[in-house]
Amino acid sequence: MADEVTTLWRGGALLGEGPAWDPARGVLWFTDIKRRRVHRYDPASGDVTQWDAPAQVGWVLPADDGALIAGLQTGLARFDPDTGDFTHLAEVEPELPGNRLNDATVAPDGSIYFGSMDDSESGPTGRVHRWDGSAAVATAIPAVAITNGPGIAPDGRTLYHVDTVGGVIHAVELAPDGTTGTMRDFARIDPIDGHPDGVTVDSLGNVWVGLWGGWRARLYSPAGAILREVRIPASNVTKVALGGPDLRTAYVTTASIGLDDAQRAAQPEAGGLFSFAVEVPGQPLPPARANG
């Protein structure tokens, strides 16, 4: 398949993240963490609408009550796009005020798996948590400085967790009750190719990963073999989400944070939102549990 990449939005996000396709509304949600903004891209009109968040916001995910659940530095919140209001749901790691939430996905049962990280990107204080609609509980996955993902295989039995600083994507056993088990290396990324950022799993179990500093999105088979690479006109690629009516459009968020003047001149679309076509469709995103 030809790697024709389309620029959808030239908004220059400092830290674009958390793309999630909303099948009910037919739109893509994503965030700019550092500017504390939620964005909604409507492919029918090409419009991007934004809302200010009360804290750094890593992601928003459509919920089963018609609103969205947001991952804020201050914890989980219910976000109503009609009013722009954020209503607190749960604290996460209140004992670690230097941490923030970074990336997330929804499991088939509606629970949210999400990661935290050290906002200074140095200490190994980031954990993977599970929200079941009533409480957020840390999983048994070991702490790292920057968590990314998670992503979940179509059969619901494997969770992919990214240790960005360590340069590795882990495959973690996922039990029917939502608990995590044995962890193994799924793929190790050479720093020359960039650092693994967010992951998304398609309907055949292939794993897309954004490569921070690598100018590309990369696709792995379930066995860990590289199947495809798509070059993006921005060096810091954060995550791929699969959406559109047939789930065959890859939406890619990027970041402009940390670029010097020469780098910004070389990549004027850094921080933009991009898209390209894929052969294998994504998995429909289940609505997240708003209440247990």
Side-chain angles (χ1 to χ4, degrees), residues 5-19 28-43 45-52 232-234 236 238 250-256 267-276:
V5 176
T6 300
T7 303
L8 302 176
W9 177 70
R10 294 176 172 85
L14 281 179
L15 186 50
E17 254 292 3
L28 181 85
W29 298 95
F30 65 104
T31 70
D32 185 343
I33 295 175
K34 293 301 180 181
R35 287 199 176 105
R36 303 183 177 189
R37 290 176 183 162
V38 173
H39 295 280
R40 180 184 64 199
Y41 168 71
D42 184 347
S45 64
D47 293 339
V48 174
T49 307
Q50 71 179 40
W51 294 260
D52 291 330
I232 306 299
N236 294 330
T238 54
Y251 293 101
V252 186
T253 49
T254 63
S256 63
Q267 44 183 306
E269 295 182 320
L273 177 69
F274 305 90
S275 70
F276 59 87

Side-chain angles (χ1 to χ4, degrees), residues 114-173:
F114 63 95
S116 64
M117 61 171 281
D118 177 12
D119 199 26
S120 68
E121 303 181 6
S122 57
T125 58
R127 299 294 301 271
V128 177
H129 302 261
R130 178 176 181 261
W131 163 261
D132 65 359
S134 58
V137 178
T139 68
I141 296 172
V144 297
I146 302 176
T147 66
N148 259 299
I152 297 177
D155 64 5
R157 297 170 59 184
T158 302
L159 179 146
Y160 294 95
H161 154 62
V162 181
D163 174 358
T164 296
V165 175
V168 60
I169 304 171
H170 296 291
V172 185
E173 291 182 352

Side-chain angles (χ1 to χ4, degrees), residues 27-93:
V27 299
L28 181 85
W29 298 95
F30 65 104
T31 70
D32 185 343
I33 295 175
K34 293 301 180 181
R35 287 199 176 105
R36 303 183 177 189
R37 290 176 183 162
V38 173
H39 295 280
R40 180 184 64 199
Y41 168 71
D42 184 347
S45 64
D47 293 339
V48 174
T49 307
Q50 71 179 40
W51 294 260
D52 291 330
Q56 293 189 94
V57 53
W59 44 268
V60 294
L61 294 167
D64 57 10
D65 67 351
L68 296 100
I69 295 178
L72 303 176
Q73 185 167 15
T74 50
L76 301 184
R78 182 182 186 274
F79 167 56
D80 184 344
D82 292 333
T83 63
D85 293 336
F86 289 80
T87 306
H88 180 75
L89 289 174
E91 288 189 329
V92 180
E93 302 174 339

